[in-house]
Amino acid sequence: MSNTTKKPNKIVVEREPYELNGTTYLAYFIKGNVRGKDVKVSVVPLDFGGYTVLDIVFMDAMQAELVSEPYEIKDEKTGSVISGKMYSVRSVDENGEIYECRVKPARNSDKQLLQMILR
């Protein structure tokens, strides 16, 4: 029997409204638990126009699935390989059409927390 913590099957990105200077915006986040502490990881689209894409992905829902894909980039000059994960928020409509928007952790601390959740 393994003594490791089981990785969650499906990670969900949630959104909630907040108000700033009289305007309502939406915050996107992932909830998790690391070593008994509840955490909230903020995620943002890769660019400002991505907020429109996120609105389309979520439509009327307040949750969508987080999808991660590994990547590797090889530097032709040095031969060194950089690897990591790309993240997207994904939903599927009633016709089976997939809608997706690339996102990233908002801050370095969010990146670290997300890595801990995904272990």
Side-chain angles (χ1 to χ4, degrees), residues 18 26 28 32 34 38 41 45 50 62 64 70-71 76-77 81 86 89 94-95 103 108 117:
Y18 69 95
L26 291 166
Y28 298 86
V34 178
D38 290 332
V41 177
M62 295 305 280
Y71 70 85
E76 296 296 325
K77 292 181 181 177
V81 176
M86 296 184 298
V89 177
E94 62 280 352
N95 299 319
V103 294
N108 280 336
I117 290 171

Side-chain angles (χ1 to χ4, degrees), residues 88-108:
S88 297
V89 177
R90 179 185 292 168
S91 67
V92 181
D93 71 10
E94 62 280 352
N95 299 319
E97 188 76 29
I98 297 172
Y99 295 89
E100 203 168 88
C101 180
R102 294 262 320 269
V103 294
K104 63 182 180 180
R107 298 172 293 274
N108 280 336

Side-chain angles (χ1 to χ4, degrees), residues 8-77:
N9 292 335
K10 184 176 179 181
I11 303 290
V12 175
V13 177
E14 300 179 52
R15 68 178 181 170
E16 68 182 1
Y18 69 95
E19 195 167 312
L20 180 65
N21 299 326
T23 304
T24 301
Y25 299 95
L26 291 166
Y28 298 86
F29 57 90
I30 298 162
K31 289 181 182 176
N33 188 289
V34 178
R35 299 181 85 179
K37 181 168 181 65
D38 290 332
V39 295
K40 200 173 183 180
V41 177
S42 295
V43 294
V44 295
L46 296 183
D47 59 44
F48 188 75
Y51 286 101
T52 300
V53 180
L54 280 173
D55 284 343
I56 293 168
V57 171
F58 276 85
M59 285 307 292
D60 296 329
M62 295 305 280
Q63 295 183 344
E65 182 179 4
L66 179 75
V67 178
S68 66
E69 297 178 42
Y71 70 85
E72 284 188 355
I73 300 171
K74 184 175 182 179
D75 185 328
E76 296 296 325
K77 292 181 181 177

